[in-house]
């Protein structure tokens, strides 16, 4: 299983970088699935919708299917949050899993960094961060890419995972 992550503090550009990487890498004919970690409660369905009503009524899992899309919602109730490894086993096989967040997990990562946020870099204390994508020049002990140089970042990731 080939997995690579994008991490960084809030407003560092993680989601935009993920979006561009998916477009770039799938454009090369490589299949990609993504996992996004959220630090808060979220809903993908809305009050009044059938799937919401099923979930609120007590269903452990709700599978919503149409000819265009399938969505599986699992209500954890009082269970522990599943690990990234467990979640990846539930996804269909692809060439590459790109993960946004899960910065404490052991897979290799690129750190997204915007100077304007004023947040410190995570990379100096984390050897799993193999490169930094930044909007400013940095003197680091690992590669630093322009945050908007998606092609070079994709080249680096694909080289790292052997694709």
């Amino acid at each position: 299983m080939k997995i690579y992550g994008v991490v960084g503090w809030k407003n560092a550009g993680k989601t935009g970088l993920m979006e561009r990487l998916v477009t770039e890498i799938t454009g090369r004919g490589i299949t990609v699935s993504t996992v996004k970690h959220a630090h808060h409660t979220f809903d993908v369905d809305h009050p009044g919708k059938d799937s919401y009503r099923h979930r609120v009524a007590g269903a452990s899992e709700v599978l919503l299917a149409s000819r265009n899309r399938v969505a599986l919602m699992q209500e954890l109730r009082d269970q522990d949050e599943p690990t990234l490894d467990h979640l990846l086993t539930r996804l269909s096989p692809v060439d590459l899993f790109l993960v946004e967040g899960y910065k404490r997990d052991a897979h290799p990562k690129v750190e997204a960094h915007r100077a304007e946020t004023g947040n410190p870099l995570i990379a100096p204390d984390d050897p799993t961060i193999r490169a930094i994508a930044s909007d400013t020049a940095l003197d680091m002990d690992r590669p630093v890419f322009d945050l908007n140089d998606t092609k070079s970042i994709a080249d680096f990731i694909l080289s790292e995972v052997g694709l």
Side-chain angles (χ1 to χ4, degrees):
M1 174 182 331
K2 301 193 185 299
I3 177 173
Y4 220 91
V6 174
V7 297
W9 300 112
K10 184 177 179 180
N11 296 320
K14 298 180 301 292
T15 302
L17 178 57
M18 283 282 291
E19 181 181 11
R20 293 189 312 272
L21 285 170
V22 170
T23 300
E24 176 70 26
I25 294 170
T26 59
R28 299 180 188 192
I30 296 169
T31 58
V32 174
S33 285
T34 65
V35 176
K36 161 84 170 103
H37 187 258
H39 292 284
H40 49 80
T41 300
F42 64 91
D43 270 321
V44 294
D45 57 356
H46 305 285
K49 296 293 185 184
D50 294 349
S51 57
Y52 181 91
R53 292 170 62 189
H54 295 185
R55 190 170 50 83
V56 170
S60 296
E61 292 187 328
V62 177
L63 182 73
L64 181 61
S66 74
R67 66 185 187 106
N68 296 320
R69 162 176 319 113
V70 173
L72 175 63
M73 292 166 280
Q74 182 179 32
E75 193 66 26
L76 296 177
R77 311 257 182 242
D78 294 322
Q79 298 173 35
D80 290 338
E81 180 178 345
T83 65
L84 176 59
D85 287 340
H86 173 74
L87 294 172
L88 292 173
T89 66
R90 299 191 66 185
L91 296 174
S92 299
V94 291
D95 298 322
L96 177 64
F97 291 104
L98 286 176
V99 177
E100 181 178 342
Y102 289 95
K103 66 177 160 256
R104 290 176 184 84
D105 283 60
H107 59 278
K109 305 166 190 79
V110 170
E111 179 177 357
H113 175 74
R114 281 198 179 119
E116 69 186 32
T117 66
N119 291 316
L121 285 166
I122 301 166
D125 298 319
D126 187 344
T128 67
I129 296 175
R130 307 293 301 262
I132 296 112
S134 178
D135 65 350
T136 186
L138 300 170
D139 183 22
M140 297 295 298
D141 61 349
R142 59 202 90 183
V144 177
F145 297 95
D146 182 289
L147 183 58
N148 295 310
D149 188 358
T150 308
K151 181 184 180 314
S152 294
I153 299 167
D155 290 344
F156 176 80
I157 290 171
L158 295 175
S159 174
E160 286 266 292
V161 298
L163 287 173

mmCIF file of all heavy atoms in Angstrom, residues 20-47:
data_model
loop_
_atom_site.group_PDB
_atom_site.id
_atom_site.type_symbol
_atom_site.label_atom_id
_atom_site.label_comp_id
_atom_site.label_asym_id
_atom_site.label_seq_id
_atom_site.Cartn_x
_atom_site.Cartn_y
_atom_site.Cartn_z
ATOM 1 N N ARG A 20 -4.889 20.002 -5.621
ATOM 2 C CA ARG A 20 -4.010 20.111 -6.795
ATOM 3 C C ARG A 20 -3.227 18.824 -7.023
ATOM 4 O O ARG A 20 -3.017 18.410 -8.165
ATOM 5 C CB ARG A 20 -3.070 21.302 -6.634
ATOM 6 C CG ARG A 20 -3.780 22.658 -6.651
ATOM 7 C CD ARG A 20 -2.837 23.851 -6.699
ATOM 8 N NE ARG A 20 -1.754 23.818 -5.742
ATOM 9 C CZ ARG A 20 -1.825 24.284 -4.490
ATOM 10 N NH1 ARG A 20 -2.964 24.807 -4.044
ATOM 11 N NH2 ARG A 20 -0.773 24.247 -3.691
ATOM 12 N N LEU A 21 -2.781 18.174 -5.944
ATOM 13 C CA LEU A 21 -2.043 16.913 -6.085
ATOM 14 C C LEU A 21 -2.925 15.819 -6.678
ATOM 15 O O LEU A 21 -2.474 15.061 -7.543
ATOM 16 C CB LEU A 21 -1.481 16.457 -4.734
ATOM 17 C CG LEU A 21 -0.274 17.226 -4.228
ATOM 18 C CD1 LEU A 21 0.034 16.841 -2.777
ATOM 19 C CD2 LEU A 21 0.952 17.002 -5.111
ATOM 20 N N VAL A 22 -4.165 15.726 -6.229
ATOM 21 C CA VAL A 22 -5.072 14.721 -6.785
ATOM 22 C C VAL A 22 -5.251 14.955 -8.278
ATOM 23 O O VAL A 22 -5.162 14.027 -9.089
ATOM 24 C CB VAL A 22 -6.427 14.707 -6.043
ATOM 25 C CG1 VAL A 22 -7.448 13.842 -6.779
ATOM 26 C CG2 VAL A 22 -6.256 14.229 -4.612
ATOM 27 N N THR A 23 -5.475 16.208 -8.667
ATOM 28 C CA THR A 23 -5.645 16.532 -10.082
ATOM 29 C C THR A 23 -4.392 16.188 -10.877
ATOM 30 O O THR A 23 -4.466 15.556 -11.943
ATOM 31 C CB THR A 23 -5.986 18.031 -10.253
ATOM 32 O OG1 THR A 23 -7.207 18.299 -9.561
ATOM 33 C CG2 THR A 23 -6.120 18.408 -11.713
ATOM 34 N N GLU A 24 -3.230 16.584 -10.379
ATOM 35 C CA GLU A 24 -1.963 16.332 -11.064
ATOM 36 C C GLU A 24 -1.669 14.841 -11.186
ATOM 37 O O GLU A 24 -1.312 14.350 -12.260
ATOM 38 C CB GLU A 24 -0.812 17.027 -10.311
ATOM 39 C CG GLU A 24 0.570 16.768 -10.859
ATOM 40 C CD GLU A 24 0.854 17.403 -12.202
ATOM 41 O OE1 GLU A 24 0.235 18.428 -12.550
ATOM 42 O OE2 GLU A 24 1.716 16.863 -12.931
ATOM 43 N N ILE A 25 -1.806 14.116 -10.098
ATOM 44 C CA ILE A 25 -1.424 12.702 -10.092
ATOM 45 C C ILE A 25 -2.417 11.845 -10.874
ATOM 46 O O ILE A 25 -2.010 10.973 -11.652
ATOM 47 C CB ILE A 25 -1.235 12.214 -8.637
ATOM 48 C CG1 ILE A 25 -0.018 12.935 -8.020
ATOM 49 C CG2 ILE A 25 -1.055 10.704 -8.586
ATOM 50 C CD1 ILE A 25 0.156 12.742 -6.523
ATOM 51 N N THR A 26 -3.710 12.095 -10.725
ATOM 52 C CA THR A 26 -4.679 11.323 -11.507
ATOM 53 C C THR A 26 -4.569 11.668 -12.991
ATOM 54 O O THR A 26 -4.819 10.818 -13.840
ATOM 55 C CB THR A 26 -6.132 11.533 -11.024
ATOM 56 O OG1 THR A 26 -6.475 12.921 -11.107
ATOM 57 C CG2 THR A 26 -6.306 11.030 -9.601
ATOM 58 N N GLY A 27 -4.152 12.892 -13.293
ATOM 59 C CA GLY A 27 -3.921 13.283 -14.680
ATOM 60 C C GLY A 27 -2.793 12.513 -15.334
ATOM 61 O O GLY A 27 -2.684 12.467 -16.558
ATOM 62 N N ARG A 28 -1.965 11.890 -14.536
ATOM 63 C CA ARG A 28 -0.870 11.052 -15.044
ATOM 64 C C ARG A 28 -1.292 9.589 -15.169
ATOM 65 O O ARG A 28 -0.470 8.720 -15.442
ATOM 66 C CB ARG A 28 0.338 11.149 -14.110
ATOM 67 C CG ARG A 28 0.899 12.557 -13.994
ATOM 68 C CD ARG A 28 2.086 12.588 -13.064
ATOM 69 N NE ARG A 28 2.524 13.946 -12.790
ATOM 70 C CZ ARG A 28 3.668 14.253 -12.201
ATOM 71 N NH1 ARG A 28 4.512 13.285 -11.841
ATOM 72 N NH2 ARG A 28 3.988 15.503 -11.973
ATOM 73 N N GLY A 29 -2.572 9.315 -14.914
ATOM 74 C CA GLY A 29 -3.077 7.954 -15.045
ATOM 75 C C GLY A 29 -2.900 7.100 -13.800
ATOM 76 O O GLY A 29 -3.053 5.873 -13.850
ATOM 77 N N ILE A 30 -2.603 7.715 -12.677
ATOM 78 C CA ILE A 30 -2.413 7.004 -11.409
ATOM 79 C C ILE A 30 -3.694 7.141 -10.590
ATOM 80 O O ILE A 30 -4.234 8.239 -10.457
ATOM 81 C CB ILE A 30 -1.204 7.597 -10.649
ATOM 82 C CG1 ILE A 30 0.070 7.359 -11.462
ATOM 83 C CG2 ILE A 30 -1.093 7.019 -9.245
ATOM 84 C CD1 ILE A 30 1.285 8.120 -10.960
ATOM 85 N N THR A 31 -4.177 6.025 -10.051
ATOM 86 C CA THR A 31 -5.402 6.091 -9.245
ATOM 87 C C THR A 31 -5.074 6.539 -7.830
ATOM 88 O O THR A 31 -4.074 6.129 -7.243
ATOM 89 C CB THR A 31 -6.129 4.732 -9.211
ATOM 90 O OG1 THR A 31 -5.248 3.736 -8.692
ATOM 91 C CG2 THR A 31 -6.616 4.337 -10.594
ATOM 92 N N VAL A 32 -5.934 7.416 -7.297
ATOM 93 C CA VAL A 32 -5.721 8.036 -5.991
ATOM 94 C C VAL A 32 -7.022 7.999 -5.199
ATOM 95 O O VAL A 32 -8.093 8.261 -5.749
ATOM 96 C CB VAL A 32 -5.270 9.509 -6.143
ATOM 97 C CG1 VAL A 32 -5.188 10.212 -4.794
ATOM 98 C CG2 VAL A 32 -3.959 9.612 -6.899
ATOM 99 N N SER A 33 -6.915 7.689 -3.919
ATOM 100 C CA SER A 33 -8.007 7.907 -2.977
ATOM 101 C C SER A 33 -7.470 8.790 -1.868
ATOM 102 O O SER A 33 -6.259 8.802 -1.614
ATOM 103 C CB SER A 33 -8.530 6.589 -2.394
ATOM 104 O OG SER A 33 -9.302 5.892 -3.342
ATOM 105 N N THR A 34 -8.363 9.515 -1.215
ATOM 106 C CA THR A 34 -7.930 10.431 -0.160
ATOM 107 C C THR A 34 -8.636 10.119 1.151
ATOM 108 O O THR A 34 -9.748 9.592 1.172
ATOM 109 C CB THR A 34 -8.202 11.904 -0.531
ATOM 110 O OG1 THR A 34 -9.612 12.118 -0.623
ATOM 111 C CG2 THR A 34 -7.527 12.286 -1.829
ATOM 112 N N VAL A 35 -7.948 10.464 2.230
ATOM 113 C CA VAL A 35 -8.517 10.409 3.568
ATOM 114 C C VAL A 35 -8.254 11.770 4.189
ATOM 115 O O VAL A 35 -7.136 12.282 4.127
ATOM 116 C CB VAL A 35 -7.860 9.304 4.429
ATOM 117 C CG1 VAL A 35 -8.413 9.338 5.857
ATOM 118 C CG2 VAL A 35 -8.068 7.936 3.801
ATOM 119 N N LYS A 36 -9.269 12.369 4.780
ATOM 120 C CA LYS A 36 -9.152 13.676 5.425
ATOM 121 C C LYS A 36 -9.525 13.521 6.884
ATOM 122 O O LYS A 36 -10.603 13.025 7.202
ATOM 123 C CB LYS A 36 -10.088 14.679 4.731
ATOM 124 C CG LYS A 36 -10.433 15.925 5.530
ATOM 125 C CD LYS A 36 -9.397 16.991 5.408
ATOM 126 C CE LYS A 36 -9.849 18.307 5.998
ATOM 127 N NZ LYS A 36 -9.284 18.596 7.300
ATOM 128 N N HIS A 37 -8.640 13.922 7.782
ATOM 129 C CA HIS A 37 -8.943 13.860 9.206
ATOM 130 C C HIS A 37 -9.603 15.159 9.638
ATOM 131 O O HIS A 37 -9.171 16.240 9.252
ATOM 132 C CB HIS A 37 -7.666 13.637 10.029
ATOM 133 C CG HIS A 37 -7.941 13.412 11.463
ATOM 134 N ND1 HIS A 37 -7.780 14.385 12.419
ATOM 135 C CD2 HIS A 37 -8.420 12.324 12.116
ATOM 136 C CE1 HIS A 37 -8.122 13.891 13.596
ATOM 137 N NE2 HIS A 37 -8.516 12.648 13.442
ATOM 138 N N ALA A 38 -10.656 15.041 10.421
ATOM 139 C CA ALA A 38 -11.341 16.209 10.972
ATOM 140 C C ALA A 38 -11.214 16.155 12.490
ATOM 141 O O ALA A 38 -11.374 15.095 13.094
ATOM 142 C CB ALA A 38 -12.811 16.215 10.567
ATOM 143 N N HIS A 39 -10.921 17.278 13.109
ATOM 144 C CA HIS A 39 -10.775 17.348 14.559
ATOM 145 C C HIS A 39 -12.084 17.690 15.248
ATOM 146 O O HIS A 39 -12.102 17.969 16.435
ATOM 147 C CB HIS A 39 -9.722 18.402 14.934
ATOM 148 C CG HIS A 39 -8.347 17.996 14.534
ATOM 149 N ND1 HIS A 39 -7.610 17.064 15.221
ATOM 150 C CD2 HIS A 39 -7.578 18.380 13.489
ATOM 151 C CE1 HIS A 39 -6.447 16.892 14.637
ATOM 152 N NE2 HIS A 39 -6.404 17.686 13.581
ATOM 153 N N HIS A 40 -13.162 17.685 14.511
ATOM 154 C CA HIS A 40 -14.437 18.107 15.071
ATOM 155 C C HIS A 40 -15.550 17.193 14.573
ATOM 156 O O HIS A 40 -15.369 16.410 13.651
ATOM 157 C CB HIS A 40 -14.734 19.562 14.671
ATOM 158 C CG HIS A 40 -14.538 19.798 13.203
ATOM 159 N ND1 HIS A 40 -15.473 19.442 12.256
ATOM 160 C CD2 HIS A 40 -13.487 20.310 12.508
ATOM 161 C CE1 HIS A 40 -15.006 19.744 11.048
ATOM 162 N NE2 HIS A 40 -13.818 20.265 11.173
ATOM 163 N N THR A 41 -16.706 17.319 15.179
ATOM 164 C CA THR A 41 -17.870 16.581 14.720
ATOM 165 C C THR A 41 -18.317 17.178 13.390
ATOM 166 O O THR A 41 -18.270 18.381 13.194
ATOM 167 C CB THR A 41 -19.011 16.711 15.751
ATOM 168 O OG1 THR A 41 -18.533 16.165 16.983
ATOM 169 C CG2 THR A 41 -20.244 15.961 15.320
ATOM 170 N N PHE A 42 -18.743 16.322 12.489
ATOM 171 C CA PHE A 42 -19.203 16.812 11.193
ATOM 172 C C PHE A 42 -20.368 15.954 10.730
ATOM 173 O O PHE A 42 -20.550 14.829 11.192
ATOM 174 C CB PHE A 42 -18.077 16.793 10.150
ATOM 175 C CG PHE A 42 -17.575 15.409 9.846
ATOM 176 C CD1 PHE A 42 -18.131 14.658 8.825
ATOM 177 C CD2 PHE A 42 -16.556 14.852 10.593
ATOM 178 C CE1 PHE A 42 -17.682 13.380 8.555
ATOM 179 C CE2 PHE A 42 -16.095 13.573 10.332
ATOM 180 C CZ PHE A 42 -16.669 12.835 9.308
ATOM 181 N N ASP A 43 -21.177 16.479 9.845
ATOM 182 C CA ASP A 43 -22.265 15.731 9.225
ATOM 183 C C ASP A 43 -22.110 15.811 7.720
ATOM 184 O O ASP A 43 -21.793 16.866 7.178
ATOM 185 C CB ASP A 43 -23.629 16.326 9.602
ATOM 186 C CG ASP A 43 -24.193 15.716 10.864
ATOM 187 O OD1 ASP A 43 -24.034 14.488 11.035
ATOM 188 O OD2 ASP A 43 -24.792 16.457 11.664
ATOM 189 N N VAL A 44 -22.344 14.677 7.058
ATOM 190 C CA VAL A 44 -22.346 14.677 5.599
ATOM 191 C C VAL A 44 -23.769 14.590 5.066
ATOM 192 O O VAL A 44 -23.992 14.696 3.877
ATOM 193 C CB VAL A 44 -21.492 13.523 5.016
ATOM 194 C CG1 VAL A 44 -20.028 13.724 5.350
ATOM 195 C CG2 VAL A 44 -21.966 12.173 5.500
ATOM 196 N N ASP A 45 -24.692 14.361 5.971
ATOM 197 C CA ASP A 45 -26.104 14.423 5.585
ATOM 198 C C ASP A 45 -26.781 15.484 6.451
ATOM 199 O O ASP A 45 -26.162 16.063 7.336
ATOM 200 C CB ASP A 45 -26.772 13.052 5.680
ATOM 201 C CG ASP A 45 -26.674 12.404 7.061
ATOM 202 O OD1 ASP A 45 -26.015 12.976 7.954
ATOM 203 O OD2 ASP A 45 -27.243 11.329 7.246
ATOM 204 N N HIS A 46 -28.035 15.758 6.164
ATOM 205 C CA HIS A 46 -28.692 16.898 6.798
ATOM 206 C C HIS A 46 -30.034 16.499 7.411
ATOM 207 O O HIS A 46 -30.698 15.583 6.910
ATOM 208 C CB HIS A 46 -28.907 18.010 5.762
ATOM 209 C CG HIS A 46 -27.637 18.416 5.082
ATOM 210 N ND1 HIS A 46 -26.682 19.189 5.691
ATOM 211 C CD2 HIS A 46 -27.139 18.110 3.860
ATOM 212 C CE1 HIS A 46 -25.663 19.355 4.872
ATOM 213 N NE2 HIS A 46 -25.913 18.710 3.756
ATOM 214 N N PRO A 47 -30.448 17.211 8.460
ATOM 215 C CA PRO A 47 -31.738 16.914 9.075
ATOM 216 C C PRO A 47 -32.858 16.865 8.039
ATOM 217 O O PRO A 47 -32.903 17.674 7.117
ATOM 218 C CB PRO A 47 -31.938 18.088 10.048
ATOM 219 C CG PRO A 47 -30.545 18.526 10.383
ATOM 220 C CD PRO A 47 -29.763 18.328 9.110
#
